Amino acid sequence: MKRTIIAASLVLCSGSLLANECNVNIDGNLKLENDILTITTEQDDVISIESNHQLYVNGEEVSLSRSEQRWVKDYYDGIYSAVPQAASIAVEGVALASDAISEVFGGLLGADTQAIDKITVKLSDIGDKIHDNFYAEDGSIRVDSAHFSDGDMFGEEWENEFEAAVEDVISSSIGQILVAIGTQMMFGDNEAGDFDQRMASFTDDLEMRMEQQAAIIEEKADGLCYLVADIDYAENKLQDNVSELSDLNVFSVEKNKDRM
């Protein structure tokens, strides 16, 4: 059981959602709201890109060559596409972890236990918070890097809140869990060894099904990793070729070489 919980909580819903693919860090302040991308650099320059890909630096419109305009477009469109993808991966990871843990508790305590309802509500709240971090009330895309912890696009706050929710439910239900296990071992139809085998089989079956669903999320994470790498590439081109953007250095992407 513990192995399944760890697989669900750490692999599927870790604070670094792209831990298996790449690490994404953000320096400076980035906002995307009302279809306007606004970046405040560490030198306090304000860079804004509108939905028509017009670039402004400190309120002044910047003239660009055709290639520079293409990099601005790639940069803006890439960020605009990455935000909903990141939100989707995060929310799906929490939902999958919730399903796994609910099945674990259901297998031990039965489907009607209050522990399942409690963990479902807690993880649903986390999913809602993640969604609200990427979308405005009207459903439009909205993101503010000021909400990220230590420049990590997928900070540790979700992992910490997730682990706290699981620990709270387990600690409050440990007595019920032990009673259920003891009852099954002492008064069930099977011997203790058969009970252990049945629970081991349940764990393996659950983990296999969770891994199959996790593979879909991993594939999405892989695509997001390459998308953010393309954003970083466009940013580097702008930094190197547009003098007004020489201080633009928001994204930093490190790919996991073991996955390449």
Side-chain angles (χ1 to χ4, degrees):
M1 294 302 166
K2 182 178 180 181
R3 182 158 52 102
T4 303
I5 292 175
I6 292 175
S9 62
L10 298 185
V11 175
L12 303 180
C13 192
S14 66
S16 180
L17 294 172
L18 302 184
N20 291 333
E21 311 299 338
C22 57
N23 295 319
V24 178
N25 288 294
I26 293 179
D27 295 320
N29 181 264
L30 177 151
K31 292 183 180 180
L32 179 58
E33 191 169 8
N34 298 322
D35 291 337
I36 298 177
L37 175 65
T38 305
I39 297 168
T40 303
T41 69
E42 294 184 348
Q43 289 72 32
D44 291 328
D45 289 323
V46 179
I47 301 166
S48 60
I49 304 175
E50 298 183 348
S51 58
N52 62 357
H53 306 120
Q54 183 58 56
L55 172 69
Y56 297 86
V57 177
N58 296 325
E60 298 291 330
E61 183 175 343
V62 179
S63 298
L64 302 170
S65 67
R66 181 173 298 180
S67 60
E68 292 166 351
Q69 187 64 60
R70 186 182 71 249
W71 291 327
V72 169
K73 181 179 184 301
D74 290 346
Y75 192 64
Y76 177 93
D77 291 351
I79 294 173
Y80 199 88
S81 297
V83 171
Q85 289 186 39
S88 174
I89 292 170
V91 172
E92 287 181 28
V94 172
L96 181 54
S98 179
D99 289 343
I101 294 174
S102 294
E103 288 208 35
V104 169
F105 276 90
L108 287 172
L109 307 175
D112 296 329
T113 179
Q114 292 182 350
I116 296 178
D117 295 335
K118 188 174 182 180
I119 191 65
T120 299
V121 170
K122 284 181 175 289
L123 295 185
S124 178
D125 288 343
I126 293 175
D128 290 343
K129 289 180 181 179
I130 292 175
H131 182 275
D132 293 343
N133 233 29
F134 291 95
Y135 292 97
E137 291 184 1
D138 62 2
S140 62
I141 295 174
R142 177 196 64 189
V143 67
D144 187 345
S145 66
H147 297 156
F148 304 150
S149 60
D150 298 327
D152 187 348
M153 189 174 183
F154 309 100
E156 295 182 357
E157 58 185 302
W158 310 124
E159 179 181 6
N160 294 336
E161 191 166 348
F162 178 87
E163 290 179 351
V166 175
E167 290 174 2
D168 178 52
V169 172
I170 291 177
S171 62
S172 62
S173 307
I174 190 64
Q176 189 179 358
I177 292 172
L178 293 175
V179 169
I181 293 175
T183 301
Q184 284 290 328
M185 294 181 67
M186 294 177 64
F187 303 109
D189 296 332
N190 300 319
E191 298 294 333
D194 293 334
F195 174 77
D196 288 342
Q197 184 177 3
R198 179 162 57 88
M199 296 310 294
S201 177
F202 168 78
T203 300
D204 291 340
D205 177 63
L206 176 61
E207 187 169 12
M208 181 182 68
R209 288 185 286 116
M210 291 301 106
E211 285 178 350
Q212 290 172 347
Q213 296 179 53
I216 299 174
I217 298 178
E218 275 197 30
E219 185 176 351
K220 292 182 179 181
D222 186 52
L224 180 56
C225 174
Y226 284 103
L227 174 57
V228 177
D230 288 341
I231 295 171
D232 189 32
Y233 175 82
E235 179 180 83
N236 291 336
K237 285 293 187 180
L238 290 171
Q239 184 182 26
D240 293 340
N241 292 275
V242 181
S243 60
E244 292 90 342
L245 302 181
S246 60
D247 294 327
L248 179 64
N249 188 24
V250 177
F251 286 89
S252 176
V253 181
E254 295 181 6
K255 293 183 180 180
N256 188 334
K257 296 181 180 179
D258 293 336
R259 302 282 299 182
M260 296 296 106

